[in-house]
Amino acid sequence: MCGIWAIFGSEEDLQTHFEKACKISHRGPDSFCMQNINHFTNCLFGFHQLAIMDDALGMQPMRIKEFPHVIMMYNGEIYNYKKLRDHYGFNFTSDCDGEVLIHLYGRGGIDFMAKMLDGVFAFCILDTKTKKVNM
């Protein structure tokens, strides 16, 4: 399982956040990414990847061209992602099951997305257009 970490509104320095994010490094030994979100004060995402599906294009935080205002991190498995992708005709840019979260959210919002999913997972979606965080 991957490690996801996010912080919003903290006044602590970047080094402190980096050290905190590294405390879950055992969750994803294959790669690490820490990303500051532009135009959002003190908003930071950290991701430790355990590469099971699409280690290159499945790196997170994930954004796609179709919904550039949606930033997503998730951990788990979406059992019905292929069925949803095919049913709605989503054009995936990766082979990562979690990408379906962005497409569903972009199509119908958080409630629509949640009703469609079958799996075991945790996620964090930041919508920079509405300035809302969904977990």
Side-chain angles (χ1 to χ4, degrees):
M1 296 293 242
C2 300
I4 58 176
W5 179 91
I7 192 139
F8 305 94
S10 173
E11 296 296 328
E12 292 181 303
D13 63 82
L14 186 60
Q15 180 63 34
T16 301
H17 291 308
F18 180 79
E19 289 169 5
K20 289 179 180 179
C22 285
K23 289 183 179 184
I24 60 168
S25 63
H26 62 281
R27 297 291 309 251
D30 296 322
S31 57
F32 172 69
C33 179
M34 191 167 203
Q35 185 176 23
N36 181 47
I37 308 303
N38 292 338
H39 310 294
F40 284 81
T41 306
N42 303 321
C43 177
L44 200 61
F45 283 4
F47 180 72
H48 295 274
Q49 185 181 42
L50 176 61
I52 296 172
M53 300 177 78
D54 200 348
D55 60 341
L57 296 176
M59 191 60 183
Q60 298 175 42
M62 183 182 282
R63 284 185 173 176
I64 60 173
K65 189 175 182 178
E66 189 175 351
F67 302 106
H69 61 283
V70 178
I71 303 162
M72 182 275 301
M73 284 193 315
Y74 111 107
N75 181 34
E77 185 175 357
I78 311 293
Y79 305 137
N80 62 337
Y81 82 98
K82 288 181 182 177
K83 181 179 175 183
L84 291 166
R85 178 195 62 202
D86 297 344
H87 178 75
Y88 290 106
F90 296 147
N91 185 24
F92 275 32
T93 59
S94 73
D95 291 324
C96 180
D97 57 340
E99 186 176 338
V100 77
L101 298 171
I102 299 173
H103 289 279
L104 289 170
Y105 178 84
R107 182 179 180 95
I110 195 68
D111 290 333
F112 174 78
M113 182 196 84
K115 289 176 185 173
M116 296 291 118
L117 297 171
D118 179 23
V120 290
F121 53 88
F123 66 86
C124 179
I125 292 178
L126 171 64
D127 186 328
T128 62
K129 191 185 293 183
T130 64
K131 297 184 179 181
K132 290 187 178 180
V133 176
N134 297 283
M135 292 189 254

